[in-house]
Amino acid sequence: GQQVMQIPQYQHVQEGEDFTTYCNSSTTLSNIQWYKQRPGGHPVFLIQLVKSGEVKKQKRLTFQFGEAKKNSSLHITATQTTDVGTYFCAQSANAGKSTFGDGTTLTVKP
Amino acid sequence: DGGITQSPKYLFRKEGQNVTLSCEQNLNHDAMYWYRQDPGQGLRLIYYSQIVNDFQKGDIAEGYSVSREKKESFPLTVTSAQKNPTAFYLCASSPSDPAGELFFGEGSRLTVL
């Protein structure tokens, strides 16, 4: 099935710095979802993007879907300690099969 | 509250034993899924079911079995044929096909001794 590659695998930032994680595919994606998993927790849905060039914002989080629908990014402005966790991108195909990237683990130093 | 309940949260098993993980949802979702998560890796799909009495293999179904006798329930059995069963198992559901948002349970952490 389609694979999504996520980079970087780990990111360590100072509180207040920005953070970006990228999700890339060699094929066109029908959609992209982003999830956050806190340490020891379960993934929680953040957002879904479906349109070429789509940009959505949630407070300090900005999500983008590339024009070619082969890449996506999640940008966090002015990170806080509550942002720590692993951020996953995923794409869902027919029959409900969602394929996840390996995630980017964010740590924030106070 | 509506949601997905997985049990047990932690489970220890000896090699050669089968173990069944429970997943119950009261969200009235048609589709349910089982994922496996290993440290530093993403989620890999084991099995999924779009409707009662029907299910399909995911990417890593070998050594696992499921049933879907009720809409609310989708138990996963980790059999002794699974070579490396120690992992974090996540059950999820979604209201539509193709799946958009997945709703996850809190997970079951299985350790084989």
Side-chain angles (χ1 to χ4, degrees):
Chain A
Q2 288 184 308
Q3 288 191 330
V4 287
M5 308 299 294
Q6 234 179 308
I7 56 170
Q9 187 175 5
Y10 300 98
Q11 186 76 55
H12 311 282
V13 300
Q14 190 79 32
E15 188 173 20
E17 293 181 338
D18 292 356
F19 159 77
T20 304
T21 173
Y22 301 90
C23 187
N24 301 304
S25 172
S26 58
T27 58
T28 302
L29 302 169
S30 54
N31 55 67
I32 197 86
Q33 298 97 37
W34 286 94
Y35 293 81
K36 176 183 179 181
Q37 184 176 24
R38 295 181 184 275
H42 59 279
V44 174
F45 176 82
L46 295 176
I47 208 160
Q48 175 169 265
L49 306 171
V50 295
K51 297 178 183 177
S52 169
E54 190 169 13
V55 177
K56 288 188 177 180
K57 294 189 175 183
Q58 290 180 350
K59 297 182 180 179
R60 295 178 293 104
L61 279 61
T62 302
F63 305 85
Q64 292 188 320
F65 202 7
E67 293 289 344
K69 299 183 74 173
K70 291 185 176 181
N71 56 74
S72 180
S73 65
L74 159 58
H75 179 83
I76 302 178
T77 303
T79 55
Q80 299 175 359
T81 54
T82 53
D83 295 324
V84 299
T86 301
Y87 293 85
F88 293 98
C89 64
Q91 68 92 26
S92 66
N94 291 334
K97 293 176 62 176
S98 290
T99 302
F100 284 77
D102 284 345
T104 296
T105 298
L106 171 65
T107 56
V108 179
K109 186 176 181 181
Chain B
D1 286 353
I4 299 179
T5 301
Q6 287 188 241
S7 63
K9 192 169 185 178
Y10 299 95
L11 186 61
F12 297 89
R13 165 199 123 171
K14 293 182 180 179
E15 281 190 15
Q17 290 180 333
N18 292 356
V19 63
T20 297
L21 308 180
S22 170
C23 179
E24 302 279 332
Q25 56 103 355
N26 60 6
L27 299 169
N28 200 32
H29 288 171
D30 288 317
M32 297 187 73
Y33 313 85
W34 274 104
Y35 285 89
R36 170 182 171 138
Q37 186 175 33
D38 294 286
Q41 296 188 30
L43 283 68
R44 292 183 289 169
L45 183 64
I46 304 173
Y47 268 97
Y48 64 103
S49 168
Q50 297 172 264
I51 197 169
V52 175
N53 292 324
D54 188 43
F55 49 82
Q56 284 78 41
K57 293 182 179 179
D59 300 317
I60 55 165
E62 185 175 353
Y64 300 98
S65 66
V66 294
S67 63
R68 187 83 188 276
E69 298 177 1
K70 299 186 300 181
K71 185 176 184 177
E72 301 80 17
S73 180
F74 192 40
L76 173 74
T77 297
V78 185
T79 75
S80 56
Q82 168 52 231
K83 301 297 183 187
N84 185 20
T86 295
F88 188 46
Y89 291 89
L90 287 158
C91 179
S93 70
S94 70
S96 62
D97 174 30
E101 176 178 357
L102 292 178
F103 295 76
F104 284 90
E106 294 189 348
S108 293
R109 194 168 297 278
L110 172 64
T111 302
V112 175
L113 305 173

